[in-house]
Amino acid sequence: MTELPFHSAVQLGALLRERQLSPVEAVESALARIEALDPALGAFVDVDGERALAQARAVPAGDRRAFAGVPIAVKANTPVTGLTMDHGSRLLAGYKPSHDAHLVRRLRQEGFVIVGTTKTPEFGILPTTEPHSTGPARNPWDRERTPGGSSGGAAAAVASGMLPIAHGNDGGGSIRIPAACCGLVGLKPSRGRVSRGPDSGDSFLVCDGVLSRTVLDTAAALDVLSGYEVGDATWAPPPGTPFVQAVGRDPGPLRIGVTTANPIGAPPDPDHVTAVRETADALAGLGHRVQEVSPDLPGPEALPLFLTVFAANIALGAAYAQLLAGREAGPDDVEPLSRAMMDRAAATSSTEYLGAVAMLQAISRRVIALWADFDVLLVPALAARPPRIGEIDGSRTDAFDRAAAFAPYAGLFNVTGQPAITVPAGLAADGLPTTVQLVGPPLGEDTLLQVASQLEIARPWADRRPQMGY
């Protein structure tokens, strides 16, 4: 039981099916870990142990579902019946929806037990998780630093062993950035892979997924979450075989391009450059054809286009929050950065918005064409080390610019809709993990999972534990 917090979700599922562990024991272990660690880490907005234990007791004896009795959490910008969904905002403090998102229903159908909801920065804007309404989430590797964002609560919960796996979503790096900060696996699926219903329509930027400690967990969860739901306007076609079958399968020699360039020209920290170089050497040792490339990436002029679309998404989320709250947001209800985003969106005409989308789509075609020359692109996950708490905060209207310099490698692939995955690479001198990002062609999650699995076998990372993990 002492090692239980660091079992993977797949391992826990196997123990449960083999009756070496009961669902109640699995959930009790997670709840005890949350009670012990969350006061110092602040990963959760809401924990409902009584309801979670009732779900665990309801798992039938002999249940053969892959995750029957495995605990999980959902990010607090996604509806879960009876659990707080505050979007990180005072405006929705204590709001509890009366229905589940489609992806939550899918998790339940596969047997996952939802123990609570995890923190997000207000409306998911920043790559840190420091909502004024509930206080910051902290990195288990160094509590003075951010776990990243916007799925920072999820990352803190998984990295510290409170949970084996947690839901997150990614509109500009919000799965991959916290995974990178906390030494986890974080896959942003292809656009349209996971339904955002029933509340949200299809999104140009946002995808849902999970944060986990292993590639196998990530693949297995993607099989659970992905697929068309009735009424979806657009959706990714299903894979030829389940994603979990890609893990451990030899992809053969691939063409892997390597670059540390990014669209805004931010210089990467030497630790991140070292992580890329060492990973490139490992991939070459695995038989891949690895070479430095100078891709024709968009420059800083693309950032205002992205911000136009991103701000509109934030304003839409804020409008939805006001609808749920039954009132307009007052001066103290939202943070200054959120208000600035709302004002920017209000000042943007529909023609300007559609023009920005069209220009980003044109940029996407140019970027995706680069995959004719290679199969996978290897880049840093971050440009800087995880900031200290308070360095990138929603009280500053310039926080978005600071955020872009911290994590300039993520948002481009939300624009193109390509799958991208962050995987651990090692530990830096500051004691925090280093991580790299692999980017695949459209609908190429299977290739990314194969390569990530090779790296995981060659350079295992799942047993690395932060100070709070012992």
Side-chain angles (χ1 to χ4, degrees):
M1 291 291 286
T2 58
E3 290 297 307
L4 202 57
F6 287 94
H7 276 60
S8 72
V10 168
Q11 288 173 327
L12 274 181
L15 290 175
L16 288 159
R17 288 192 302 279
E18 294 163 6
R19 301 192 185 186
Q20 296 182 33
L21 182 72
S22 74
V24 170
E25 288 173 325
V27 172
E28 285 178 337
S29 174
L31 292 172
R33 187 89 173 164
I34 292 168
E35 183 178 10
L37 297 184
D38 200 52
L41 291 177
F44 284 85
V45 172
D46 194 1
V47 177
D48 191 335
E50 184 175 331
R51 182 179 301 187
L53 288 170
Q55 292 175 48
R57 285 190 286 269
V59 175
D63 195 321
R64 303 302 296 174
R65 290 176 295 172
F67 298 107
V70 174
I72 194 171
V74 174
K75 188 174 173 180
N77 63 0
T78 300
V80 181
T81 302
L83 290 177
T84 300
M85 182 185 76
D86 66 354
H87 286 259
S89 179
R90 289 192 181 100
L91 182 63
L92 283 176
Y95 173 75
K96 297 184 178 184
S98 58
H99 68 284
D100 289 341
H102 290 331
L103 68 86
V104 171
R105 188 200 73 235
R106 285 174 175 255
L107 291 172
R108 293 192 196 278
Q109 286 175 339
E110 202 56 38
F112 278 109
V113 173
I114 298 169
V115 300
T117 51
T118 56
K119 283 184 186 175
T120 174
E122 189 166 67
F123 304 126
I125 298 176
L126 289 173
T128 58
T129 301
E130 302 174 31
H132 293 180
S133 56
T134 54
R138 297 178 179 272
N139 194 319
W141 294 88
D142 180 349
R143 283 180 287 167
E144 297 306 309
R145 294 182 185 261
T146 182
S150 63
S151 305
V158 175
S160 62
M162 290 191 238
L163 293 171
I165 193 168
H167 160 260
N169 37 44
D170 189 318
S174 290
I175 287 174
R176 291 162 290 155
I177 293 167
C181 289
C182 293
L184 302 173
V185 178
L187 172 67
K188 180 194 81 67
S190 296
R191 179 181 292 137
R193 181 66 72 194
V194 179
S195 175
R196 306 212 73 240
D199 301 79
S200 300
D202 57 338
S203 175
F204 183 62
L205 296 177
V206 182
C207 303
D208 287 87
V210 298
L211 296 95
S212 75
R213 287 190 292 274
T214 71
V215 177
L216 184 59
D217 274 5
T218 292
L222 187 58
D223 281 325
V224 173
L225 295 175
S226 64
Y228 169 80
E229 292 280 354
V230 173
D232 285 347
T234 58
W235 60 93
T241 59
F243 290 113
V244 74
Q245 293 183 15
V247 179
R249 191 170 70 213
D250 185 358
L254 299 175
R255 301 166 300 165
I256 298 182
V258 182
T259 184
T260 58
N262 58 70
I264 68 170
D269 182 274
D271 286 328
H272 296 305
V273 175
T274 297
V276 168
R277 302 297 176 223
E278 291 178 349
T279 302
D281 290 343
L283 290 168
L286 290 165
H288 298 295
R289 299 192 293 274
V290 180
Q291 67 177 81
E292 292 275 349
V293 296
S294 299
D296 182 19
L297 299 176
E301 70 279 359
L303 188 58
L305 299 173
F306 176 83
L307 188 53
T308 293
V309 177
F310 188 78
N313 278 266
I314 298 305
L316 180 62
Y320 180 53
Q322 291 175 98
L323 179 66
L324 295 177
R327 61 186 175 86
E328 291 188 7
D332 298 326
D333 286 325
V334 297
E335 299 170 17
L337 180 61
S338 300
R339 180 66 68 183
M341 288 282 186
M342 294 162 66
D343 291 346
R344 181 187 179 104
T348 301
S349 71
S350 57
T351 303
E352 289 170 326
Y353 172 80
L354 290 173
V357 171
M359 293 174 73
L360 289 174
Q361 289 173 333
I363 289 171
S364 296
R365 293 186 179 96
R366 190 181 90 213
V367 172
I368 292 171
L370 299 170
W371 268 254
D373 298 322
F374 44 79
D375 302 301
V376 173
L377 183 65
L378 169 64
V379 297
L382 304 170
R385 304 302 290 145
R388 296 189 178 278
I389 300 295
E391 288 184 16
I392 301 178
D393 178 79
S395 62
R396 301 174 57 112
T397 56
D398 68 346
F400 191 85
D401 293 332
R402 295 164 63 88
F406 163 52
Y409 295 95
L412 175 60
F413 306 112
N414 294 86
V415 171
T416 65
Q418 294 167 262
I421 189 170
T422 52
V423 295
L427 293 176
D430 61 10
L432 275 71
T434 58
T435 313
V436 297
Q437 181 175 203
L438 302 165
V439 186
L443 308 177
E445 289 97 330
D446 54 348
T447 300
L448 292 183
L449 291 166
Q450 289 169 356
V451 176
S453 176
Q454 287 185 313
L455 288 170
E456 185 177 33
I457 293 168
R459 302 190 302 170
W461 58 66
D463 289 336
R464 293 190 194 122
R465 299 179 185 180
Q467 180 180 358
M468 292 198 69
Y470 290 102

